[in-house]
């Protein structure tokens, strides 16, 4: 063909060869090779077009028209073929990536309540079932409420019981000194100032102490305060209430024990322990603790000075109060041996609860 002048017969052959080889192509890469061979700038069809001037003038017109017709036709079937291959490979791709609905899905990481929050909720529910309401109060507190109104005046030695974090820069001429509350007891006073008896209320909340941390001490922790004021409340009510609490949180059959303790805002003041005796198989109910009795909270009958300070007549009203550390209760209940685990954001620890 290169040496001879092409004629209409040559065109026919080239045309059918081109179509045949295009139909035989199975891979995308080969399509491009085909295009270059036939329709490229140096391709067969282009050469045929270039050869038109050599054609005998009488045949030139027909020949030229035929070449152009073949070129357009080949071009059209090439484009069509190319598009269909593209679609085919796209759809074969989606086929292999199709979602297999029988496979298990990715696990969705689910958050949960912090152990302290859960414990507060559990304790609150227990007291709620005994008729107690629940409220909260400020973490930055006046000296007046944290100590003064609780029968702990300035320079009283009992202040040493609470290592306090004072707020610097309090203008003591204008305001009283402020601190991060060392316990939730100031809420006893705030509640009594604003409420007429009868009162049955608990106050969960965060407290702070100026203390070095170790396995049993944190400088920030939660307490739950309790207060019940009414006519004729006695120590028997305190005992009955806290006994119920111990049964609900630590299990039926738990014994409780009271011992004298000193807190300036109660008289008498006590600490309460729960029993931890070995069972018949020699195991103690509280994991990791080897004592028969474990102290869990402080309590007492509200001191007459405290009642008087809020304007209650101690000859008419009496009441009891108690305070417990939330993390401490959780540690005993779940056998946690280091209080620092609570706030070190270790998910391995936290997700157990
Ligand atoms: N506020 C005390 C403390 O932080 C705990 C306490 C003891 C609270 C006796 C009370 C109570 O209400 O009656 O150590």
């Amino acid at each position: 063909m290169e040496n001879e002048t092409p004629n209409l017969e040559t065109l026919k052959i080239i045309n059918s060869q081109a179509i045949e080889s295009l139909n035989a192509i199975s891979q995308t890469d080969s399509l491009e090779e085909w295009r270059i061979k036939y329709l490229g700038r140096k391709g067969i069809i282009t050469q045929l077009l270039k050869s038109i001037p050599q054609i005998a003038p009488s045949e030139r017109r027909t020949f030229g028209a035929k070449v152009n017709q073949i070129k357009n036709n080949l071009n059209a079937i090439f484009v069509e073929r190319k598009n269909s291959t593209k679609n085919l490979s796209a759809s074969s791709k989606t086929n292999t990536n199709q979602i297999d609905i029988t496979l298990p899905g990715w696990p969705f990481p689910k958050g949960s309540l912090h152990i302290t929050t859960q414990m507060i909720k559990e304790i609150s529910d227990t007291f709620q079932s005994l008729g107690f309401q629940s409220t909260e109060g400020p973490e930055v507190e006046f000296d007046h409420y944290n100590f003064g109104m609780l029968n702990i005046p300035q320079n009283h030695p009992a202040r040493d019981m609470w290592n306090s974090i004072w707020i610097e820069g309090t203008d003591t001429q204008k305001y009283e000194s402020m601190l991060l509350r060392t316990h939730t007891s100031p809420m006893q006073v705030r509640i009594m100032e604003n409420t007429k008896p009868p009162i049955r209320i608990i106050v969960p909340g965060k407290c702070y102490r100026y203390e070095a941390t170790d396995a049993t001490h944190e400088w920030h922790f939660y307490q739950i305060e309790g207060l019940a004021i009414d006519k004729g409340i006695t120590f028997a009510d305190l005992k009955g209430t806290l006994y119920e609490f111990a049964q609900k949180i630590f299990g039926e059959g738990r014994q409780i024990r009271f011992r004298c303790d000193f807190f300036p805002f109660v008289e008498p003041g006590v600490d309460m322990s729960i029993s931890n005796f070995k069972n018949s198989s020699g195991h103690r109910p509280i994991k990791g603790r080897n004592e028969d009795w474990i102290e869990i909270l402080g309590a007492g009958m509200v001191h007459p000075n405290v009642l008087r300070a809020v304007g209650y007549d101690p000859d008419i009203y009496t009441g009891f109060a108690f305070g417990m550390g939330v993390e401490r209760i959780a540690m005993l209940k779940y056998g946690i041996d280091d209080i620092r685990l609570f706030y070190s954001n270790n998910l391995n620890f936290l997700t157990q609860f």
Side-chain angles (χ1 to χ4, degrees), residues 182-226:
T182 59
H183 51 178
T184 41
S185 302
M187 277 305 287
Q188 289 186 31
V189 181
R190 287 181 175 275
I191 290 162
M192 287 191 281
E193 277 183 344
N194 292 308
T195 324
K196 281 190 177 151
I199 295 169
R200 273 171 193 77
I201 201 159
I202 56 160
V203 187
K206 199 165 188 180
C207 305
Y208 303 83
R209 303 259 172 103
Y210 187 64
E211 259 166 35
T213 54
D214 61 28
T216 52
H217 295 88
E218 254 295 2
W219 65 274
H220 60 112
F221 53 91
Y222 281 81
Q223 282 193 341
I224 293 184
E225 193 76 14

Side-chain angles (χ1 to χ4, degrees), residues 8-287:
L8 288 176
E9 193 52 34
T10 336
L11 288 185
K12 239 190 203 166
I13 295 165
I14 289 173
N15 185 38
S16 52
Q17 276 177 353
I19 291 173
E20 224 169 87
S21 62
L22 183 64
N23 286 338
I25 286 171
S26 63
Q27 276 171 345
T28 326
D29 296 352
S30 321
L31 270 181
E32 183 57 14
E33 276 167 30
W34 182 92
R35 187 194 68 78
I36 292 166
K37 182 174 176 191
Y38 287 96
L39 301 168
R41 253 189 296 142
K42 289 177 184 166
I44 295 173
I45 301 296
T46 318
Q47 277 173 25
L48 285 173
L49 286 168
K50 278 184 187 156
S51 71
I52 290 172
Q54 298 156 29
I55 305 290
S58 58
E59 285 171 21
R60 207 176 283 163
R61 219 181 128 94
T62 341
F63 183 87
K66 194 71 196 166
V67 177
N68 271 310
Q69 192 200 335
I70 289 174
K71 182 190 161 188
N72 290 339
N73 183 47
L74 287 181
N75 209 25
I77 54 175
F78 169 77
V79 170
E80 197 180 306
R81 180 64 204 279
K82 197 174 173 178
N83 285 343
S84 69
T85 327
K86 220 192 263 169
N87 290 342
L88 194 78
S89 67
S91 73
S92 72
K93 244 182 218 152
T94 33
N95 275 344
T96 51
N97 283 356
Q98 230 170 27
I99 294 167
D100 181 351
I101 55 163
T102 63
L103 285 174
W106 292 107
F108 186 75
K110 182 161 59 90
S112 61
L113 293 179
H114 190 276
I115 168 72
T116 306
T117 311
Q118 289 184 46
M119 201 67 239
I120 289 176
K121 197 175 174 318
E122 194 179 341
I123 297 171
S124 302
D125 288 350
T126 301
F127 282 104
Q128 201 170 26
S129 74
L130 296 169
F132 283 72
Q133 290 176 292
S134 179
T135 190
E136 289 180 11
E139 288 175 26
V140 179
E141 189 53 283
F142 290 108
D143 181 324
H144 176 74
Y145 287 110
N146 196 81
F147 294 123
M149 291 290 278
L150 287 169
N151 204 26
I152 318 169
Q154 285 290 345
N155 305 319
H156 191 291
R159 288 203 175 201
D160 284 353
M161 292 169 71
W162 298 275
N163 300 320
S164 310
I165 299 175
W166 295 93
I167 306 293
E168 267 187 17
T170 316
D171 181 351
T172 43
Q173 299 287 303
K174 247 167 136 183
Y175 309 103
E176 290 172 70
S177 327
M178 298 188 86
L179 72 164
L180 296 181
R181 66 175 171 200
T182 59
H183 51 178
T184 41
S185 302
M187 277 305 287
Q188 289 186 31
V189 181
R190 287 181 175 275
I191 290 162
M192 287 191 281
E193 277 183 344
N194 292 308
T195 324
K196 281 190 177 151
I199 295 169
R200 273 171 193 77
I201 201 159
I202 56 160
V203 187
K206 199 165 188 180
C207 305
Y208 303 83
R209 303 259 172 103
Y210 187 64
E211 259 166 35
T213 54
D214 61 28
T216 52
H217 295 88
E218 254 295 2
W219 65 274
H220 60 112
F221 53 91
Y222 281 81
Q223 282 193 341
I224 293 184
E225 193 76 14
L227 179 71
I229 306 279
D230 205 348
K231 290 177 182 161
I233 288 199
T234 70
F235 200 92
D237 299 305
L238 183 160
K239 270 178 145 174
T241 305
L242 294 180
Y243 177 75
E244 251 346 279
F245 155 76
Q247 303 299 301
K248 287 239 169 81
I249 299 296
F250 293 103
E252 297 282 318
R254 194 52 62 92
Q255 296 175 48
I256 56 170
R257 181 188 74 176
F258 291 92
R259 284 189 311 184
C260 252
D261 201 351
F262 176 72
F263 302 97
F265 33 92
V266 282
E267 180 57 38
V270 294
D271 62 55
M272 183 177 107
S273 301
I274 51 168
S275 59
N276 188 32
F277 301 126
K278 283 183 184 158
N279 63 16
S280 49
S281 45
H283 296 298
R284 297 190 186 271
I286 306 276
K287 266 186 262 158

